[in-house]
């Protein structure tokens, strides 16, 4: 089997890359270890930056998002029992965010690829990469119980944080930067009406809590938990009691509750692999970098990477020029480190750290008060949250 771009992973990075390449006449094959149903049902991100929304719309996969997604013009920071709104349009020259679940984006992309005759192989895990430093790199994969090989011009490693692509870069040809946070997030989906029109980020002595939404009848909530916490530790009533305690306000705000139909613990960590390239292998999305979810940047970074990669691959296909491709890693890493800093900053400001250091607590409160009261500080949060413009080489 042969193709121009062999894409490992049908997450947002892999599927969007395949779609962008197709629009410019570059062919690709996507290999995905899981079934289509599993990919389309995995609950993950919900916040799309303005640039992500504009891009999905301009490349023809934004119709359902425009109909079913919800535009949010701000977020609330809640601390000391009071809410403080950060208004995005007035602080960013009219920009906003969209709430539309990641698995809905994936459904739209899969549909668009399959309708255009695209080649997505589900239940076809890549098991190894060969000859990455030659001009004929190969991906070994399994399908229907048989070992197969995909020969390509270029391999795009879009296989997320536990894939095979990053480890295929020799250890002495990459640097990995890591940060582990001493807490996790407990996430739930509940059938309940909306408690708040906008996302609420709460700092409380008991720990962080987040109110988000998926639809008028389905709500997404998270709260800081132990890093090794387990779903079994949290019966429904304990979850609601903890959320009520952390989200309580002095003006009697109430949390709308209802049946919980999904629970999970999310690890909070940062990883960057540098460079994001080795020979003919280009990493994109979570395969190259992970951010803690507090900044809502993971999916958006994956989109930003593949925009740069698609442009560079199309240029190489059209003119043979490789300067954009050669600059791929440097171009992406500027945005990646900005997002890492923003995500670390939001995480540090909003969580309780073990040790219960009273000095640290006062610093966090001071930072929150500053962001809530200074238009300059609020503008910095807003600019990063709605997303900085895409990097250009
Ligand atoms: P993935 O989505 O992980 O896709 C990788 C794909 O590769 C998977 O389908 C996997 O099955 C496949 N794969 C793995 N190994 C192989 C193999 N060997 N062969 C073939 N296929 C393979 N980000 C935001 O921007 N905003 C948010 O609000 C937000 N909230 C989040 C909430 C949660 C609970 C979580 C967990 C994450 C959140 N994120 C958020 C992060 C976001 O979901 C990820 O950054 C995003 O999924 C990255 O996309 P990706 O395509 O790089 O990787
Ligand atoms: C979500 O809606 O899933 C969500 C919102 C904001 C975040 C992370 C996740 O920071």
């Amino acid at each position: 089997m042969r193709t121009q771009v062999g894409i490992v992973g049908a997450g947002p990075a892999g599927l969007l890359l395949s779609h962008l390449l197709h629009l410019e006449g570059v062919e690709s094959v996507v290999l995905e270890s899981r079934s289509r149903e599993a990919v389309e049902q995995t609950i993950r991100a919900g916040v799309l930056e303005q640039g992500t929304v504009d891009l999905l719309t301009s490349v023809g996969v934004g119709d359902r998002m425009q109909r079913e997604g919800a535009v949010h013009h701000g977020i609330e920071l809640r601390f000391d029992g009071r809410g403080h709104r950060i208004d995005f349009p007035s602080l960013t020259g009219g920009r906003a965010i969209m709430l539309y679940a990641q698995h809905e984006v994936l459904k739209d992309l899969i549909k668009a690829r399959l309708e255009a005759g695209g080649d997505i192989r589900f239940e076809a895990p890549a098991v190894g990469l060969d000859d990455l430093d030659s001009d004929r790199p190969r991906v070994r994969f399994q399908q229907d119980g048989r070992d197969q090989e995909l020969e390509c011009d270029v391999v795009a490693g879009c296989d997320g944080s536990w894939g095979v692509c990053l480890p295929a870069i020799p250890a002495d040809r990459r640097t990995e930067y890591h940060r582990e946070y001493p807490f996790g997030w407990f996430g739930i989906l509940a059938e309940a009406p909306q408690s708040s029109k906008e996302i609420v980020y709460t700092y409380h002595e008991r720990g962080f809590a987040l109110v988000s939404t998926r639809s008028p009848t389905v709500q997404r909530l998270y709260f800081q938990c132990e890093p090794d916490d387990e779903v079994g530790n949290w019966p429904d009533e304990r979850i609601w009691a903890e959320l009520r305690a952390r989200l309580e306000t002095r003006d009697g705000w109430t949390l709308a509750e209802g049946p919980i139909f999904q629970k999970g613990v999310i690890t909070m960590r940062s990883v960057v692999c540098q460079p994001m390239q080795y020979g003919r292998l280009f990493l994109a999305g979570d395969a190259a970098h992970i951010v803690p979810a507090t900044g809502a940047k993971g999916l958006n970074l994956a989109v930003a990477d593949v925009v740069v990669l698609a442009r560079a691959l199309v240029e190489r296909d059209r003119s043979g020029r490789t300067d954009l491709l050669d600059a791929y890693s440097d171009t992406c890493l500027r945005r990646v480190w900005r997002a890492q800093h923003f995500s670390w900053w939001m995480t540090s400001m909003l969580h309780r750290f073990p040790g219960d250091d009273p000095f640290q607590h006062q610093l966090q409160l001071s930072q929150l008060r500053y962001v809530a009261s200074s238009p300059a500080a609020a503008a910095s949060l807003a600019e990063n949250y709605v997303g900085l413009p895409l990097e250009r080489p």
Side-chain angles (χ1 to χ4, degrees):
M1 257 178 81
R2 242 206 83 68
T3 189
Q4 286 180 282
V5 183
I7 300 177
V8 185
L15 288 168
L16 181 61
L17 178 63
S18 178
H19 180 69
L20 295 176
L21 291 174
H22 161 72
L23 295 179
E24 300 290 341
V26 177
E27 107 192 356
S28 65
V29 172
V30 181
L31 302 174
E32 166 59 49
S33 54
R34 295 182 298 153
S35 67
R36 178 175 178 182
E37 292 69 34
V39 169
E40 291 189 342
Q41 282 164 21
T42 305
I43 306 296
R44 297 188 78 181
V47 175
L48 306 183
E49 293 178 357
Q50 178 81 59
T52 300
V53 171
D54 294 346
L55 177 87
L56 294 175
T57 306
S58 72
V59 298
V61 287
D63 288 357
R64 204 161 63 90
M65 172 189 71
Q66 295 291 355
R67 280 198 312 274
E68 298 176 15
V71 176
H72 284 213
H73 293 105
I75 55 168
E76 179 183 323
L77 293 178
R78 190 175 290 184
F79 55 95
D80 271 348
R82 284 205 180 86
H84 307 262
R85 184 164 186 271
I86 308 291
D87 181 76
F88 293 151
S90 65
L91 293 162
T92 62
R95 296 166 78 79
I97 54 158
M98 172 85 83
L99 260 74
Y100 186 63
Q102 174 166 326
H103 64 281
E104 304 296 345
V105 176
L106 294 180
K107 285 183 201 166
D108 299 341
L109 283 167
I110 290 170
K111 183 164 174 280
R113 283 311 292 125
L114 295 181
E115 280 176 4
D119 190 347
I120 310 174
R121 311 276 171 114
F122 292 101
E123 299 176 75
V127 291
L129 310 183
D130 297 315
D131 301 332
L132 294 173
D133 50 1
S134 77
D135 57 7
R136 281 282 173 274
R138 284 173 294 123
V139 184
R140 274 177 287 118
F141 68 100
Q142 287 169 342
Q143 196 174 19
D144 302 325
R146 295 211 323 273
D147 292 333
Q148 310 216 32
E149 235 176 42
L150 177 62
E151 192 182 277
C152 348
D153 294 339
V154 161
V155 179
C158 303
D159 50 350
S161 44
W162 305 108
V164 295
C165 292
L166 183 149
I169 303 182
D172 62 352
R173 300 295 293 273
R174 61 180 146 97
T175 305
E176 273 184 51
Y177 298 87
H178 287 264
R179 167 137 319 175
E180 305 279 334
Y181 295 90
F183 38 75
W185 275 16
F186 199 100
I188 62 163
L189 281 169
E191 254 170 65
Q194 262 170 296
S195 304
S196 162
K197 284 208 196 69
E198 294 176 338
I199 301 179
V200 182
Y201 286 86
T202 307
Y203 176 65
H204 188 275
E205 299 208 355
R206 297 180 68 89
F208 170 77
L210 174 63
V211 180
S212 182
T213 182
R214 288 292 179 269
S215 76
T217 55
V218 174
Q219 310 314 321
R220 181 80 167 135
L221 296 113
Y222 303 91
F223 56 93
Q224 175 178 354
C225 63
E226 295 301 319
D228 54 356
D229 225 329
E230 285 172 21
V231 165
N233 294 338
W234 291 90
D236 295 9
E237 191 36 52
R238 184 175 175 216
I239 292 174
W240 290 118
E242 193 60 43
L243 283 167
R244 278 194 303 267
R246 297 187 191 189
L247 291 162
E248 182 184 54
T249 64
R250 294 174 196 203
D251 61 5
W253 180 87
T254 51
L255 177 64
E257 300 175 22
I260 297 173
F261 61 92
Q262 203 256 353
K263 300 180 187 178
V265 175
I266 301 150
T267 55
M268 295 288 278
R269 63 198 177 108
S270 302
V271 180
V272 180
C273 171
Q274 214 160 307
M276 292 165 52
Q277 180 209 350
Y278 170 71
R280 291 286 182 96
L281 168 66
F282 296 85
L283 302 179
D286 278 18
H289 41 70
I290 306 187
V291 285
T294 329
K297 287 284 163 248
L299 165 61
N300 295 291
L301 276 183
V303 168
D305 286 350
V306 299
V307 167
V308 177
L309 186 54
R311 196 186 300 130
L313 289 170
V314 169
E315 187 58 49
R316 175 182 178 277
D317 185 58
R318 291 221 176 112
S319 68
R321 269 179 49 202
T322 62
D323 50 329
L324 296 187
L325 210 46
D326 296 340
Y328 170 70
S329 179
D330 287 346
T331 305
C332 291
L333 283 167
R334 283 197 292 271
R335 186 185 191 83
V336 167
W337 278 111
R338 175 87 299 277
Q340 286 290 2
H341 184 275
F342 177 67
S343 305
W344 163 84
W345 176 75
M346 289 282 280
T347 303
S348 310
M349 178 168 72
L350 287 160
H351 290 75
R352 285 315 298 268
F353 285 75
D356 206 18
D357 174 351
F359 189 85
Q360 173 70 23
H361 175 59
Q362 293 301 332
L363 288 181
Q364 287 175 237
L365 280 175
S366 167
Q367 182 66 35
L368 282 161
R369 280 187 215 112
Y370 179 49
V371 175
S373 60
S374 153
S380 171
L381 188 158
E383 177 181 47
N384 281 278
Y385 201 94
V386 301
L388 289 152
L390 290 173
E391 292 277 357
R392 288 179 190 276

